Amino acid sequence: MQNKAKPVKKRIVMSGMRPTGPLHLGHWEGALQSWLKLQAECDCYFSIADWHALTTEYADPSAIREHVRQVLLDWLAVGIDPEKSVVFRQSAIKEIPELFLLFAMIAPLGRLERVPTFKEQKTQLSDRDLNTFGFLGYPLLQTIDIIVVGGNTVPVGEDQVFHIELAREMVRRFNQFYGDVFEEPMELLTPQSRLPGLDGRKMSKSYGNVINLSDSAETVKKKILPMKTDVRRQRRSDPGIPQDCPVFAFHKSFSSASEIAEVDAGCRSAAIGCIDCKRILIANLNRFLEPVRERRAWFEKVNVDDLLAPGNLRARERAGRTLEVVRKQVKI
Ligand code: TRP
Ligand code: SF4
């Protein structure tokens, strides 16, 4: 009997980040670490979403270019390999706005208004006017990012799931009107970063509590040494509870199992002091960051546009093929 089973669809990974400045260890834990694993196994497209940045920064876009450079260098520094993955700048792909326009024709306004992040972000970023067509279209633009290169697997954090749901609905709607063109993309949830910021709150640039991937060894030391520890350890002889200390949370991500056990026991019995504990962490963070710094220094010598050119070209080729099919199906 003939085997009529559909061939298993190949995983095409697509994800992106808005260029909002240098990336920190939270980005490493929450996203980049997963991207590296995927890069080894699948075709990956990674986009620096500068048009997405413009949806909120339109009044002063002067920093976006520099932020694109920083994000790119951070990606390459951690090991995103532009020979394995397609690493590109969103605004280099003119097929994106063309497909976005076609999808705008069929995107129900009410559905876009109901995307939870739309209202949330509008209240959070209350210093600017986000009553714009572009900002409403943010998640639709993300849909296009994914499908224009044939992406079907989207590594993202929990906060982006609403956007991937919208992408599926928009794909279904398009396919109903114009035939089976696009595959419905699926999110691939990346682990929630367990890493707090230096002050114990969530690590976030806006809190000023981050360790950047581009921080020097000296900066790492200067940031870790004054960190607040468990309040129980007023004196060197007071025992503490590691779970209540952000330094310990860092150990859990960047220290070896035996060091974690040692710090855990030492903190509880007051066998080690907080300064010793922090020194171990500083050494481990810098051991992790040293090769990152080396790769960064190497890529820094190369012009950003030259670094992006091959990826831009490959993404554009792939997007061009998508648009050929789309124009035929939409009969335009
Ligand atoms: N909206 C995403 C975020 O804020 C960034 C992004 C842009 C993205 N385009 C994408 C993520 C495509 C996944 C796929 O994190
Ligand atoms: Fe935190 Fe380490 Fe001090 Fe314990 S010993 S409170 S884990 S810094």
Side-chain angles (χ1 to χ4, degrees):
M1 205 180 100
Q2 249 185 328
N3 182 4
K4 288 205 179 135
K6 266 195 182 174
V8 180
K9 280 254 170 77
K10 200 174 163 196
R11 251 193 188 183
I12 309 286
V13 172
M14 196 283 147
S15 198
M17 283 187 197
R18 278 172 307 140
T20 55
L23 303 182
H24 52 67
L25 291 178
H27 293 109
W28 164 254
E29 279 242 323
L32 294 172
Q33 207 170 6
S34 308
W35 291 16
L36 280 191
K37 287 194 196 116
L38 289 165
Q39 165 178 268
E41 299 160 4
C42 322
D43 287 354
C44 293
Y45 290 85
F46 297 125
S47 166
I48 305 180
D50 50 353
W51 277 324
H52 274 111
L54 204 54
T55 64
T56 55
E57 307 307 309
Y58 63 85
D60 179 14
S62 55
I64 296 179
R65 253 172 205 275
E66 175 54 22
H67 290 166
V68 168
R69 180 171 170 276
Q70 284 164 341
V71 167
L72 177 67
L73 287 175
D74 283 333
W75 286 4
L76 301 178
V78 298
I80 299 295
D81 180 349
E83 306 216 328
K84 285 189 194 142
S85 300
V86 181
V87 177
F88 65 103
R89 183 203 300 257
Q90 184 187 34
S91 65
I93 317 301
K94 309 307 182 203
E95 286 78 5
I96 291 175
E98 181 177 350
L99 191 58
F100 180 73
L101 182 77
L102 295 175
F103 269 74
M105 304 304 169
I106 63 168
L109 267 183
R111 179 63 182 86
L112 291 174
E113 283 161 353
R114 273 196 310 277
V115 174
T117 48
F118 175 62
K119 266 198 210 114
E120 255 167 49
Q121 286 273 79
K122 252 170 60 168
T123 30
Q124 258 178 33
L125 303 175
S126 54
D127 57 325
R128 56 201 99 178
D129 183 1
L130 294 180
N131 285 306
T132 58
F133 179 59
F135 186 69
L136 180 68
Y138 183 113
L140 185 65
L141 185 57
Q142 190 170 344
T143 300
I144 304 308
D145 279 348
I146 298 163
I147 64 176
V148 82
V149 293
N152 56 19
T153 306
V154 191
V156 282
E158 196 87 59
D159 62 314
Q160 294 291 309
V161 171
F162 294 121
H163 293 177
I164 314 304
E165 266 165 20
L166 177 84
R168 281 194 288 276
E169 284 177 42
M170 290 310 305
V171 160
R172 278 201 292 275
R173 198 165 157 84
F174 185 96
N175 288 350
Q176 274 163 15
F177 282 122
Y178 309 114
D180 238 350
V181 177
F182 293 107
E183 209 180 321
E184 288 180 34
M186 282 303 297
E187 65 273 12
L188 183 70
L189 273 189
T190 53
Q192 184 87 356
S193 170
R194 295 163 303 145
L195 202 65
L198 296 165
D199 55 2
R201 294 187 288 174
K202 178 182 151 62
M203 188 179 279
S204 160
K205 188 170 77 153
S206 54
Y207 293 152
N209 63 1
V210 308
I211 292 187
N212 286 320
L213 292 167
S214 49
D215 280 348
S216 69
E218 198 47 36
T219 304
V220 169
K221 191 170 149 195
K222 279 199 188 127
K223 286 182 175 176
I224 299 291
L225 280 180
M227 273 176 77
K228 289 228 171 64
T229 62
D230 179 15
V231 289
R232 294 174 189 85
R233 302 214 65 185
Q234 297 293 342
R235 277 162 308 215
R236 170 68 178 73
S237 54
D238 294 336
I241 297 182
Q243 268 64 36
D244 291 345
C245 176
V247 176
F248 189 66
F250 277 80
H251 273 297
K252 283 199 278 188
S253 291
F254 293 98
S255 297
S256 68
S258 61
E259 284 168 321
I260 296 169
E262 192 188 310
V263 164
D264 186 53
C267 179
R268 290 171 192 282
S269 62
I272 62 164
C274 290
I275 297 291
D276 303 325
C277 180
K278 286 172 175 175
R279 288 204 185 278
I280 300 171
L281 176 64
I282 292 166
N284 290 343
L285 279 175
N286 281 328
R287 190 169 321 118
F288 166 73
L289 286 173
E290 199 42 50
V292 176
R293 291 183 192 119
E294 271 167 33
R295 270 191 299 264
R296 162 182 284 273
W298 192 88
F299 284 113
E300 257 171 353
K301 289 185 246 157
V302 187
N303 176 297
V304 180
D305 292 318
D306 290 345
L307 287 172
L308 284 169
N312 287 347
L313 190 68
R314 284 168 71 190
R316 214 179 294 141
E317 272 169 10
R318 182 64 189 79
R321 278 187 274 132
T322 302
L323 264 294
E324 267 173 38
V325 177
V326 165
R327 287 184 208 111
K328 194 166 137 252
Q329 293 300 113
V330 182
K331 302 188 169 59
I332 201 114

